[in-house]
Amino acid sequence: MSEGDLVARLIEGGSLHKVGLDRVLAELDEEQRDAVLLSGGRSLVLAGPGSGKTTVITHKIAHLVFGGVPPSRIMLVTFTRQAAREMISRASSLVGKAASEITAGTFHHVCNLWLRRFGPRVGLERNYSILDREDYLEIIKAASRDALAEGAEVPSGKVPSPSVIASVFTLFRGLGMGLDEVVGKSFPYLRDCLPFLSKTLVLYEARKRKMNALDYDDLLVWTCRLLEGDEEVRRKLQEHFAWILVDEFQDTNALQLRLLELLYSGKNNLFVVADESQSIYSFRGARYQNVLDFASKPGCKVFKIQTNYRSTPEIVYLANHCIPNNVFGKRLRAVRPSGPIPLVVKTSDRHQEAAFVASAVRDLLDEGFKLRDMAVLYRAHAHSMELQLELASLGIPFVVYSGPGLLEGAHIKDVMSFLRVKVNPQDEVSWIRVVKLFPGLGGATASKVASALAERRPSSLDEALAFLEDELLGGLDARRATPMAAMLVALKGMSPLRTPAELISYARRSFYDEYLRFNFEDYGDRMMDLDRFEEFAAGYEEIEAFLSDVLLAEEISLRRRASAEDGDRITLSTVHQAKGLEWRVVFLISVNPGDFPSAYARTEEELMEERRIFYVGITRARDVLVITRQGDSGFSFRGNRLVRVRGGVDFLEEIPPYAVEARDISF
């Protein structure tokens, strides 16, 4: 008995869920129904926010199964295992156990399945290991060490960390560009490291082959090699998978698009669901252009599903005015009852903005909303700093999905350690952290410095530095004496500084910002955190007062979050982390030129991505949307420097005044 006959018998016998095709289709609106019934060959479904894209995918599966397509000949590709499980679960509610026969998972999952089966045809052993993140970085570290030993030069002497090298390699493979192009485009500060990176890449690949191991990127790279080089395997997979369904297609990179094109023969069916206006992961290699390229292929059918079931008409109206680069002419339609018009609030500064949001949250609680109904979204984690302190001081429970809590990030802890040794030169923990930041000084030297100072008990930073220079420096070998001397020179520059902002500014300018670039793949976000931290510190004259306020607020915050772990909490998140989620109430904060859009968005392409991020942010709201901004001069003191921190495109100036209610509460 063929599988198709078996499926038909299961349906006829009632083993599948008793939902007929007519009922499946009756649950769809007209646009969704067209996408389910009329798609075939190469098909693109443009799904606006809140339009029911998951419904379209799961009902497409049901339509195929009830139409006699064997489930094993359907493949569903998603970007997370959770999304795959959710879709198969929802499909099971329509077609029963048949859904479990579908090949469903991430790109990496399906590629691993094929390589385990066909890998020997391209020289892979079937029992290869898959490297996790920690293993991946360890092998890169060893390869970079070997590259230096074999003569690869880094003229600046600053060797990027394994995590930074890993980011370079991931983009190199995902974008399909040359290594020099990737470095020039995304890592220009590593240009003088290019020969070193090239050598490290060669040695890294050799180490993996010797270990019979693949990293996550390799799963896609080797599968593409398999399909490109072995026509028999390619034809077998093309013939087996009658339907290939892809979710979140706008987030694919060049390598993933290449894989899909290899699987599509023109005789089978490639059904992708996307919204190029919500493509916000270019830093991972995602290309919104993949949607445009796919749609431009001969014979591609394009379906638009535009009914928004999530948001009120007022929020949808605003969203329609913010659709970026609307090349497909999309226009969302609202079906929910009317609600309040989106509110744009101008505050004097970040502190007033935080106070306003906290007060508004309390008012909403009085109206019957729950904290879990609300979210505060922002462009970068740094924008939540003042709000975290404000919520903690008022005892409002919150959970941070955008990054670590106020003092949990390594970069914030690093900078705080400079302030702490300035105030308390006997602080062993902070001294260990400070010393280890300087190249050439490891844990053993750091512990020796900290122990010596604890025993000496200096009363000032000057006394501590003099002691280290007179008593400790001379006892070190040349390998450690040189970096120790450099550290002492750097720390001596802190002596005359008195305010926390001056100290933070000095630490960053003297070496720490450069340290971030070479040691953290997300250095841009960390630098923005420090920008905000420095700006926050500018409100204090005394280092002790600043440390006390921040440390005590963090202690309260951690306690509140721990006690509310399973309780009612408001969500704090970047827009990136919030994609795919929704709340009754959304506060979108710090929508200022230089903050949102980011000051790092310098090209037109980068600015267009900022517009997509803004669009994603406003479309997370169901009932209430509040957008806040600051109305200050755009200048800020950084230590003893007055710098321009804002400028450029203002998204709120582009919104028609009748689409929002404007309120100015600035001083």
Side-chain angles (χ1 to χ4, degrees):
M1 181 185 298
S2 71
E3 188 177 6
D5 292 337
L6 176 61
V7 171
R9 177 172 292 185
L10 287 171
I11 295 173
E12 182 179 359
S15 296
L16 291 177
H17 195 280
K18 295 183 181 299
V19 177
L21 182 58
D22 289 344
R23 180 179 168 188
V24 167
L25 296 177
E27 296 173 351
L28 305 176
D29 64 35
E30 183 178 354
E31 290 176 335
Q32 293 172 335
R33 192 177 302 114
D34 285 347
V36 168
L37 288 178
L38 304 180
S39 54
R42 180 188 294 271
S43 300
L44 167 64
V45 178
L46 294 168
S51 63
K53 72 176 180 66
T54 301
T55 296
V56 168
I57 293 173
T58 55
H59 283 63
K60 180 65 184 180
I61 290 172
H63 172 248
L64 294 175
V65 173
F66 282 124
V69 177
S72 67
R73 297 195 64 196
I74 302 171
M75 180 171 69
L76 170 64
V77 184
T78 65
F79 272 84
T80 66
R81 287 179 293 178
Q82 180 180 347
R85 285 195 296 267
E86 178 188 348
M87 290 191 187
I88 293 302
S89 175
R90 290 179 61 173
S92 296
S93 70
L94 299 174
V95 301
K97 294 180 181 179
S100 64
E101 300 299 318
I102 295 169
T103 297
T106 64
F107 279 94
H108 299 96
H109 170 74
V110 297
C111 287
N112 182 50
L113 292 177
W114 298 333
L115 290 177
R116 295 293 184 190
R117 181 179 176 187
F118 301 113
R121 302 181 74 133
V122 284
L124 291 177
E125 298 178 47
R126 286 194 176 93
N127 66 337
Y128 60 80
S129 299
I130 299 177
L131 301 174
D132 63 19
R133 176 71 175 175
E134 184 177 351
D135 295 335
Y136 180 25
L137 295 179
E138 279 298 319
I139 299 173
I140 287 180
K141 183 178 181 180
S144 65
R145 194 165 50 234
D146 291 347
L148 293 171
E150 293 183 17
E153 295 185 359
V154 179
S156 68
K158 298 181 176 67
V159 179
S161 71
S163 63
V164 172
I165 297 173
S167 295
V168 175
F169 290 175
T170 292
L171 281 182
F172 161 65
R173 289 182 284 191
L175 292 175
M177 299 165 57
L179 190 61
D180 56 341
E181 293 178 274
V182 170
V183 169
K185 177 181 174 62
S186 301
F187 305 89
Y189 59 95
L190 295 180
R191 282 195 180 97
D192 72 342
C193 298
L194 192 56
F196 160 76
L197 292 170
S198 298
K199 183 67 173 177
T200 300
L201 179 60
V202 170
L203 295 173
Y204 172 64
E205 295 293 343
R207 277 181 172 268
K208 287 188 296 180
R209 292 307 304 274
K210 186 176 180 180
M211 293 171 57
N212 186 31
L214 302 181
D215 60 37
Y216 288 119
D217 295 325
D218 286 329
L219 295 173
L220 275 71
V221 170
W222 281 95
T223 301
C224 284
R225 289 178 185 171
L226 170 69
L227 297 180
E228 288 172 335
D230 194 316
E231 184 178 351
E232 181 183 350
V233 172
R234 184 173 68 252
R235 190 185 310 114
K236 183 178 294 188
L237 291 177
Q238 289 172 343
E239 291 174 354
H240 178 76
F241 289 108
W243 282 86
I244 302 167
L245 285 67
V246 185
D247 185 28
E248 303 284 8
F249 179 71
Q250 75 277 353
D251 294 332
T252 55
N253 60 27
L255 182 61
Q256 290 160 335
L257 176 60
R258 184 171 135 212
L259 175 64
L260 292 172
E261 293 291 356
L262 286 167
L263 291 169
Y264 177 60
S265 65
K267 297 179 181 178
N268 57 355
N269 302 275
L270 182 54
F271 176 96
V272 305
V273 178
D275 184 358
E276 84 289 355
S277 299
Q278 297 188 72
S279 179
I280 60 174
Y281 297 112
S282 66
F283 61 92
R284 297 179 186 168
R287 297 180 72 251
Y288 79 92
Q289 297 95 330
N290 284 358
V291 180
L292 308 183
D293 293 345
F294 188 90
S296 68
K297 297 286 186 179
C300 181
K301 300 176 182 178
V302 178
F303 302 89
K304 293 188 284 188
I305 55 174
Q306 303 170 101
T307 301
N308 181 291
Y309 296 96
R310 174 186 299 158
S311 306
T312 63
E314 290 76 10
I315 295 173
V316 169
Y317 184 77
L318 173 61
N320 278 326
H321 284 284
C322 298
I323 298 177
N325 193 29
N326 192 7
V327 295
F328 291 103
K330 296 173 296 187
R331 186 165 185 82
L332 302 176
R333 292 186 300 273
V335 294
R336 288 191 55 208
S338 184
I341 190 170
L343 181 63
V344 173
V345 179
K346 180 181 178 181
T347 62
S348 296
D349 53 31
R350 305 186 195 284
H351 300 284
Q352 190 188 27
E353 178 182 63
F356 165 77
V357 171
S359 176
V361 167
R362 285 178 150 180
D363 291 343
L364 288 164
L365 289 173
D366 291 340
E367 293 177 22
F369 288 86
K370 301 292 186 182
L371 288 173
R372 68 177 68 93
D373 296 330
M374 307 179 217
V376 181
L377 307 183
Y378 31 82
R379 174 63 181 85
H381 177 61
H383 300 158
S384 70
M385 188 170 295
E386 287 83 2
L387 183 59
Q388 287 189 52
L389 291 171
E390 183 72 16
L391 294 175
S393 68
L394 295 175
I396 299 175
F398 62 92
V399 58
V400 182
Y401 287 148
S402 55
L406 185 58
L407 298 185
E408 295 168 20
H411 51 304
I412 299 293
K413 289 182 177 180
D414 288 343
V415 171
M416 288 284 285
S417 66
F418 285 94
L419 302 180
R420 294 171 73 159
V421 298
K422 169 73 172 177
V423 171
N424 176 17
Q426 299 169 33
D427 186 334
E428 288 186 67
V429 173
S430 294
W431 271 113
I432 289 174
R433 194 171 195 101
V434 166
V435 174
K436 288 169 67 176
L437 290 173
F438 289 85
L441 300 178
T445 304
S447 296
K448 186 175 182 179
V449 168
S451 297
L453 289 171
E455 188 171 335
R456 175 74 177 189
R457 299 183 65 79
S459 60
S460 68
L461 180 62
D462 286 339
E463 183 182 339
L465 296 177
F467 168 74
L468 293 176
E469 189 169 20
D470 296 339
E471 303 294 332
L472 198 62
L473 185 59
L476 297 175
D477 57 42
R479 186 168 62 88
R480 292 179 177 82
T482 300
M484 176 65 76
M487 183 193 80
L488 294 175
V489 169
L491 294 182
K492 284 178 181 178
M494 292 170 46
S495 293
L497 306 178
R498 294 290 177 264
T499 70
E502 288 175 336
L503 278 165
I504 295 171
S505 175
Y506 173 79
R508 295 184 63 188
R509 286 186 293 114
S510 60
F511 88 100
Y512 193 73
D513 277 0
E514 189 168 33
Y515 170 86
L516 282 181
R517 288 190 184 94
F518 282 85
N519 287 277
F520 293 99
E521 55 189 311
D522 59 346
Y523 78 90
D525 289 339
R526 292 174 186 263
M527 289 177 71
M528 290 178 69
D529 285 352
L530 290 175
D531 285 345
R532 185 58 61 87
F533 196 56
E534 186 178 337
E535 188 173 337
F536 180 65
Y540 292 80
E541 291 296 323
E542 300 293 332
I543 300 172
E544 294 93 333
F546 174 70
L547 288 173
S548 295
D549 280 4
V550 172
L551 291 169
L552 290 176
E554 178 68 6
E555 181 183 359
I556 295 170
S557 168
L558 291 173
R559 211 165 47 235
R560 295 287 182 188
R561 278 183 284 162
S563 65
E565 185 173 352
D566 297 316
D568 194 25
R569 298 175 293 175
I570 185 172
T571 297
L572 275 57
S573 174
T574 61
V575 176
H576 284 95
Q577 292 290 335
K579 187 172 180 288
L581 302 176
E582 58 184 68
W583 293 268
R584 291 188 64 192
V585 180
V586 168
F587 295 90
L588 194 59
I589 66 171
S590 293
V591 184
N592 316 296
D595 291 328
F596 199 169
S598 168
Y600 293 100
R602 298 184 177 93
T603 68
E604 188 58 38
E605 184 176 331
E606 291 167 341
L607 186 59
M608 188 57 67
E609 175 134 336
E610 294 294 310
R611 295 184 190 279
R612 295 195 293 269
I613 298 169
F614 182 63
Y615 178 69
V616 169
I618 63 178
T619 55
R620 299 310 93 197
R622 296 205 302 262
D623 302 325
V624 178
L625 174 63
V626 180
I627 303 172
T628 64
R629 65 167 327 148
Q630 294 96 48
D632 57 31
S633 65
F635 290 91
S636 176
F637 279 100
R638 299 283 168 81
N640 57 359
R641 299 171 294 147
L642 182 67
V643 298
R644 180 78 181 179
V645 296
R646 303 230 181 101
V649 175
D650 186 340
F651 285 166
L652 298 185
E653 290 295 327
E654 300 175 352
I655 295 175
Y658 46 82
V660 296
E661 176 189 341
R663 187 179 302 172
D664 187 344
I665 63 169
S666 59
F667 301 129

